[in-house]
Amino acid sequence: MDAVQMDSKTSPFRQTNGGDGGQDQCIWSSPGWGCKIDIGRQIFCNRSLNMKNIVAVGFDMDYTLAQYMPETFESLAYNGTIRKLVYDLGYPPELLKWSFDWKYMVRGLVLDKKRGNILKMDRHKYVKVAYHGFTEISKEEKMATYGNTLLRDSFDEPDYALIDTLFSLAEAYLFAQLVDFKDKNSTKVPDGADYSRMYKDVRAAVDLCHRDGTLKQMVEKDPGKYINEDLHIVPMLKMLRDSGRATFLVTNSLWDYTNVVMNFLCEKRTMNGSSPCNYDWLENFNVVITGSAKPGFFHEENRSTLFEVEPESGMLLNTDNGSPIPQMGSTSPRLPPNGMKKACRVFQGGSVGHLHKLLSVEASSQVLYVGDHIYGDILRSKKVLGWRTMLVVPELEREVELLWKSRDIRKELQMLRKQRDLIEDQIHHLKWSLKFECLDDGKKLKLSSELKDLELQRDKVRLRHQVGQRECHQKFHKVWGQLMKTGYQNSRFAHQVERFACLYTSQVTNLSLYSPDKYYRPGEDYMSHESDIVIV
């Protein structure tokens, strides 16, 4: 990726002087749009995308349209998983006293199942930060374990687990707790439970929580406790539809849960202002597909049956690849609720081939899909289909704001690094002279004294640099640092974003801040901004 600085020459914002010494205002200069956009709400671009060529815009639901509150929703998932481990999988009752720190884990980490380690690595798969449970691994041990292999480790399944969704943070935290627990109480874990077995048990417990419906039932009772309210979702969808584009929803959640969540998000904000607890939110979409079983949904050879969902009863009706089939008995599809401008059909299952047919899409490049999951939403739709993609990264809003606020310390770190490199060059030159040049004793003594002074000076600069690095690192996250950087390199997570996401942003509704016909171009890119944060 080309290096791009956040300045007035390459930023998609026109900088204006605020006059108060604070952050300059960023004003979008696209003709005819003219809205102010905070830096944390910017849409960043990896590959050119002309929205005029997009005929259909699709969305995932969970953690895309619906942003869950980690302090409540992930804690709910964590507590449910603990109960499954204790009551179903034989773990000791004292686990029930554990609590979840929802701020500790971040996306982009890798769990080493065999060793009980949690890793953060750069784009080249060099491990830069490593913990065993909650204990930091020394640089020497880290190099011995992950840096001296003849063959590069892929850090993929089955020996590793990728923490690439916000849904995975609770299970990663629980895994770290179990690692520490086993190290201190090896006799209290189930017989034969090594680190890999414990991770497998955690995954099984998580699956049990989702299968028995406990989590979704709690959300249904009080959606506002677990889902952030976003007043901009309906206006964004209306803007896209008014611009002549089709909109669709593809989610792995089934119809009953999808209807609850979307009713909450669109409550009292539907086009006709009707009351909640109905199906008015469907008027914001052309097609809704539930129970899609992504990422398998994106494979064209997928032969999953497509059923039509009757919204009022939740009944599944047979279709002929999306075309209605006369139903036996008294059951028949009902007409859409009165007041809908256009009927939205709801389906379950099927594959991307069915979706293209329902939307009358002629080319995959005419579809933009917005999701939060690198592998489940973005990689498959981009790599297999050639869809255009936008990744939602909620953490990005805070990250870019911190990046801006830390610009002074990052400039200082850059100067210290240059100063250190200059001194290192002088030291190397003096050592070369002392070793290979013919010098008299007086000259050698003088050069040796200069060498010692330079080495002391280098050590002072290096210490200042290390202290500054640590301070800057901890401004982003006290343990894992910056999400998109590891050392001087992009993090592995950032590398995945760069490879598979055409666009990426902090919130799905940031789309509404830009013209629906905008031409996104590379250079509007956060990850390539200079970041002098190094983990030492």
Side-chain angles (χ1 to χ4, degrees):
M1 181 181 295
D2 296 332
V4 180
Q5 297 296 320
M6 188 185 298
D7 58 27
S8 59
K9 295 181 180 179
T10 57
S11 173
F13 298 114
R14 172 163 48 86
Q15 302 291 332
T16 61
N17 192 340
D20 57 359
Q23 181 177 338
D24 292 344
Q25 287 183 319
C26 294
I27 302 177
W28 178 244
S29 56
S30 177
W33 208 244
C35 62
K36 295 181 180 180
I37 305 175
D38 293 334
I39 191 171
R41 301 291 302 276
Q42 183 180 350
I43 293 177
F44 302 101
C45 179
N46 289 321
R47 279 169 290 282
S48 295
L49 192 159
N50 189 348
M51 284 296 292
K52 289 183 178 180
N53 298 329
I54 299 298
V55 301
V57 182
F59 301 90
D60 180 35
M61 185 179 73
D62 297 315
Y63 274 117
T64 300
L65 290 174
Q67 286 297 328
Y68 293 92
M69 302 177 190
E71 61 271 33
T72 55
F73 182 80
E74 294 304 328
S75 294
L76 180 66
Y78 171 88
N79 292 330
T81 302
I82 288 280
R83 289 193 295 272
K84 298 296 183 185
L85 286 173
V86 172
Y87 297 125
D88 296 344
L89 298 175
Y91 281 77
E94 57 195 277
L95 271 63
L96 297 171
K97 299 178 182 178
W98 290 1
S99 59
F100 173 49
D101 181 358
W102 60 272
K103 294 182 178 180
Y104 184 87
M105 292 296 177
V106 299
R107 275 201 287 185
L109 303 178
V110 177
L111 303 189
D112 184 340
K113 300 178 189 178
K114 293 194 301 184
R115 300 181 179 93
N117 297 340
I118 302 157
L119 317 173
K120 184 182 180 186
M121 58 192 68
D122 66 19
R123 61 179 297 167
H124 303 295
K125 299 183 180 180
Y126 288 104
V127 176
K128 294 302 181 81
V129 185
Y131 278 74
H132 179 77
F134 294 104
T135 303
E136 187 171 9
I137 297 175
S138 68
K139 183 177 181 180
E140 293 74 22
E141 184 181 354
K142 183 174 61 181
M143 286 297 297
T145 305
Y146 301 107
N148 292 326
T149 55
L150 293 175
L151 298 176
R152 290 306 313 278
D153 200 324
S154 63
F155 294 101
D156 289 325
E157 294 285 355
D159 294 330
Y160 299 89
L162 307 181
I163 306 304
D164 51 15
T165 74
L166 294 174
F167 278 122
S168 302
L169 301 186
E171 64 188 63
Y173 188 81
L174 180 52
F175 177 68
Q177 287 180 300
L178 286 172
V179 168
D180 280 1
F181 183 76
K182 174 179 169 57
D183 291 346
K184 299 172 183 176
N185 308 277
S186 59
T187 60
K188 292 186 177 182
V189 297
D191 293 340
D194 56 10
Y195 300 131
S196 294
R197 160 75 183 282
M198 290 194 304
Y199 177 78
K200 184 178 179 181
D201 288 344
V202 170
R203 282 296 318 145
V206 170
D207 290 341
L208 284 171
C209 287
H210 286 283
R211 282 205 302 269
D212 68 12
T214 302
L215 297 180
K216 294 182 177 180
Q217 288 169 7
M218 294 297 292
V219 174
E220 182 179 8
K221 289 179 181 178
D222 188 3
K225 182 178 179 180
Y226 303 103
I227 304 173
N228 286 310
E229 187 177 28
D230 191 340
L231 302 177
H232 299 97
I233 287 178
V234 170
M236 175 196 69
L237 294 170
K238 185 178 186 302
M239 178 195 77
L240 291 171
R241 289 172 65 83
D242 287 348
S243 69
R245 293 169 176 84
T247 56
F248 64 93
L249 180 68
V250 177
T251 174
N252 285 350
S253 295
L254 297 179
W255 165 248
D256 55 349
Y257 184 71
T258 300
N259 189 43
V260 168
V261 173
M262 294 306 299
N263 254 304
F264 170 75
L265 293 174
C266 300
E267 180 181 351
K268 297 182 181 178
R269 289 180 291 279
T270 50
M271 295 178 188
N272 60 9
S274 59
S275 60
C277 300
N278 53 39
Y279 313 107
D280 286 350
W281 65 268
L282 289 171
E283 66 195 40
N284 298 296
F285 298 94
N286 295 80
V287 174
V288 169
I289 296 184
T290 62
S292 61
K294 293 177 296 182
F297 177 85
F298 295 120
H299 289 277
E300 289 188 326
E301 65 272 16
N302 181 358
R303 296 294 181 263
S304 297
T305 303
L306 183 69
F307 297 98
E308 186 154 9
V309 178
E310 187 181 61
E312 293 184 359
S313 66
M315 185 177 296
L316 299 183
L317 308 174
N318 291 321
T319 71
D320 181 10
N321 293 325
S323 300
I325 292 178
Q327 306 296 315
M328 299 296 292
S330 60
T331 302
S332 60
R334 303 183 185 182
L335 293 176
N338 293 331
M340 272 196 188
K341 292 185 177 180
K342 183 178 180 181
C344 169
R345 300 178 68 189
V346 182
F347 298 91
Q348 178 174 310
S351 69
V352 70
H354 296 124
L355 179 62
H356 281 184
K357 180 180 178 181
L358 291 165
L359 294 171
S360 299
V361 171
E362 296 178 356
S364 294
S365 60
Q366 295 177 319
V367 178
L368 172 65
Y369 187 64
V370 187
D372 72 291
H373 190 179
I374 282 283
Y375 290 99
D377 293 323
I378 303 302
L379 185 152
R380 294 297 180 187
S381 59
K382 177 68 178 176
K383 192 172 182 179
V384 177
L385 298 175
W387 279 4
R388 309 312 302 271
T389 55
M390 186 170 92
L391 182 71
V392 175
V393 186
E395 309 97 311
L396 200 61
E397 184 167 358
R398 176 178 177 272
E399 180 121 335
V400 294
E401 290 172 353
L402 286 174
L403 189 68
W404 177 267
K405 291 177 181 178
S406 65
R407 61 193 183 280
D408 291 336
I409 189 173
R410 290 187 295 107
K411 288 179 181 178
E412 182 182 354
L413 286 171
Q414 188 177 31
M415 289 188 293
L416 286 171
R417 193 174 75 221
K418 290 179 178 178
Q419 184 180 355
R420 182 196 63 193
D421 292 343
L422 179 61
I423 296 173
E424 288 280 7
D425 288 342
Q426 293 174 320
I427 291 174
H428 177 74
H429 180 73
L430 285 178
K431 286 183 175 180
W432 181 274
S433 297
L434 286 168
K435 186 173 182 179
F436 294 105
E437 293 182 10
C438 296
L439 305 172
D440 56 39
D441 291 343
K443 185 67 172 178
K444 286 184 178 179
L445 186 62
K446 181 181 178 182
L447 292 182
S448 296
S449 177
E450 291 178 4
L451 179 61
K452 289 181 180 179
D453 290 341
L454 283 172
E455 288 176 337
L456 287 173
Q457 186 179 351
R458 177 201 60 191
D459 292 343
K460 290 180 180 178
V461 172
R462 179 182 290 171
L463 180 61
R464 285 179 58 196
H465 190 242
Q466 290 176 344
V467 171
Q469 287 170 358
R470 180 62 62 182
E471 178 185 346
C472 198
H473 168 78
Q474 292 183 343
K475 283 182 181 296
F476 290 88
H477 192 282
K478 289 189 177 296
V479 177
W480 307 109
Q482 197 174 344
L483 178 70
M484 294 291 192
K485 292 284 183 179
T486 304
Y488 296 118
Q489 296 287 340
N490 284 349
S491 65
R492 189 183 188 187
F493 178 75
H495 182 53
Q496 293 164 344
V497 174
E498 179 185 356
R499 289 180 64 194
F500 302 116
C502 300
L503 308 174
Y504 57 105
T505 191
S506 61
Q507 300 179 40
V508 65
T509 50
N510 293 348
L511 273 172
S512 64
L513 303 179
Y514 293 80
S515 164
D517 293 325
K518 175 172 168 51
Y519 194 155
Y520 296 94
R521 295 177 174 87
E524 304 167 10
D525 168 27
Y526 158 71
M527 284 188 293
S528 57
H529 299 154
E530 180 69 19
S531 177
D532 298 301
I533 304 170
V534 179
I535 308 305
V536 292

